[in-house]
Amino acid sequence: MKKIIATVICFVSVFFSNAEESSGKTGIYCGISLDGTWTSSEYQMNFTVNTANFEGCGGVVKYKEENATKFGGGIFLGCGGGNDFYCAAEVGILFNNFALKKTFSEYEALEIDIKDREENPNTFLKCSYGNEYQAALKLGKVFTPDESREIKIYGILGVATRKASVQYDYAKSANSRPHSFEKNIHSFVPGIGMEVKLQEHCSLGVEYKYKAYQDSKSTHNFVNPDDDGDFDLEPRHYSLKTKQHNVSLRLIFNI
């Protein structure tokens, strides 16, 4: 993440220099946004069990939630401008923390033999995501159809980070293998946007961004080498993959 931040700072310095040379309209702006986010979240656990004692168990447990919808709001602060060539750098927070929950049936989790599970609750999974912190560079073109109107169309290249956590457990079972982990996940964020001037110090914009977060991974060893009948034979491997489509309706105030 430090390398990403350093890269962003470098680009900001270069682009602001270009913006100042091309226009006297460079300035500070801030704003609020209404955001819709569509998330694809894929959880996977690989594990190997002692089939001599637990027949029919082990393998791969998967859960994929496609296009889970979450609406939230954001705040942002940036600096940019331009007469013809538009350039800006921006930071912001998107308040859209949410959680995806799944209860596996006895045929999905493969935790213990089906014959021994009649009195036990099912396995449950909870994948949670925290609020998102963003930084972005914007490059584009300024169009002025007439003196009273100004339209900016631009591309976006940014970075985003948020916290992802996983809770997995088979409650109240002698063979329970609970495991929780938490990671900070990061993504490069390409996108496009458009901004229309409403008044001298107020504009309305819309943006689309795509985020393919790095995989969040964890390994946990439940193996007991002193127990020949132990449930697990190898450490368990967990992963969480996250992709998002984000659309923002933005109200911008030029300071």
Side-chain angles (χ1 to χ4, degrees):
M1 188 61 186
K2 292 181 180 179
K3 292 182 179 180
I4 294 176
I5 294 174
T7 302
V8 170
I9 294 174
C10 180
F11 276 118
V12 168
S13 300
V14 173
F15 289 144
F16 273 161
S17 297
N18 291 336
E20 290 174 355
E21 291 175 1
S22 64
S23 173
K25 299 171 69 175
T26 301
I28 304 296
Y29 66 88
C30 63
I32 58 175
S33 65
L34 177 63
D35 293 74
T37 302
W38 290 264
T39 300
S40 293
S41 178
E42 183 176 355
Y43 168 85
Q44 181 170 309
M45 180 184 71
N46 297 311
F47 66 115
T48 304
V49 302
N50 188 339
T51 55
N53 294 318
F54 300 96
E55 183 179 355
C57 304
V60 180
V61 175
K62 288 185 177 181
Y63 172 57
K64 187 173 184 178
E65 179 80 22
E66 291 277 13
N67 296 321
T69 304
K70 173 68 177 182
F71 292 97
I75 56 175
F76 53 87
L77 175 68
C79 182
N83 285 324
D84 298 312
F85 172 76
Y86 176 67
C87 172
E90 181 180 300
V91 294
I93 305 174
L94 178 57
F95 301 100
N96 67 339
N97 59 306
F98 65 100
L100 304 174
K101 299 178 181 179
K102 165 72 174 178
T103 300
F104 294 98
S105 72
E106 58 185 11
Y107 294 99
E108 290 179 299
L110 304 176
E111 283 285 354
I112 63 175
D113 195 334
I114 298 298
K115 296 178 183 179
D116 297 332
R117 298 185 59 168
E118 296 178 357
E119 302 300 324
N120 293 322
N122 291 329
T123 302
F124 71 89
L125 170 70
K126 182 179 179 181
C127 300
S128 303
Y129 295 92
N131 294 324
E132 183 180 279
Y133 299 87
Q134 309 176 84
L137 299 172
K138 304 178 181 184
L139 295 173
K141 178 73 174 175
V142 180
F143 299 92
T144 52
D146 53 59
E147 293 183 359
S148 62
R149 288 193 297 167
E150 183 179 87
I151 301 173
K152 300 171 184 174
I153 299 177
Y154 52 86
I156 302 169
L157 180 60
V159 292
T161 183
R162 69 190 314 166
K163 187 171 290 183
S165 60
V166 172
Q167 182 182 3
Y168 177 86
D169 196 4
Y170 187 70
K172 299 179 182 178
S173 168
N175 295 299
S176 176
R177 294 296 188 269
H179 182 55
S180 300
F181 63 94
E182 189 173 81
K183 304 283 186 179
N184 289 319
I185 55 177
H186 316 292
S187 175
F188 282 106
V189 184
I192 56 174
M194 181 177 72
E195 183 180 319
V196 179
K197 181 179 177 181
L198 300 178
Q199 298 177 355
E200 182 64 28
H201 297 287
C202 183
S203 301
L204 186 67
V206 61
E207 292 183 352
Y208 165 78
K209 298 176 182 177
Y210 175 72
K211 306 159 190 173
Y213 283 94
Q214 66 182 116
D215 294 355
S216 179
K217 297 182 179 182
S218 181
T219 300
H220 195 82
N221 189 358
F222 291 105
V223 178
N224 181 2
D226 298 326
D227 185 358
D228 293 336
D230 190 36
F231 188 82
D232 287 73
L233 296 179
E234 297 179 358
R236 297 192 177 198
H237 300 279
Y238 309 80
S239 68
L240 179 66
K241 297 181 180 180
T242 306
K243 297 181 180 180
Q244 292 182 330
H245 299 273
N246 175 253
V247 176
S248 300
L249 181 63
R250 297 157 49 93
L251 186 60
I252 304 105
F253 303 97
N254 298 305
I255 301 174

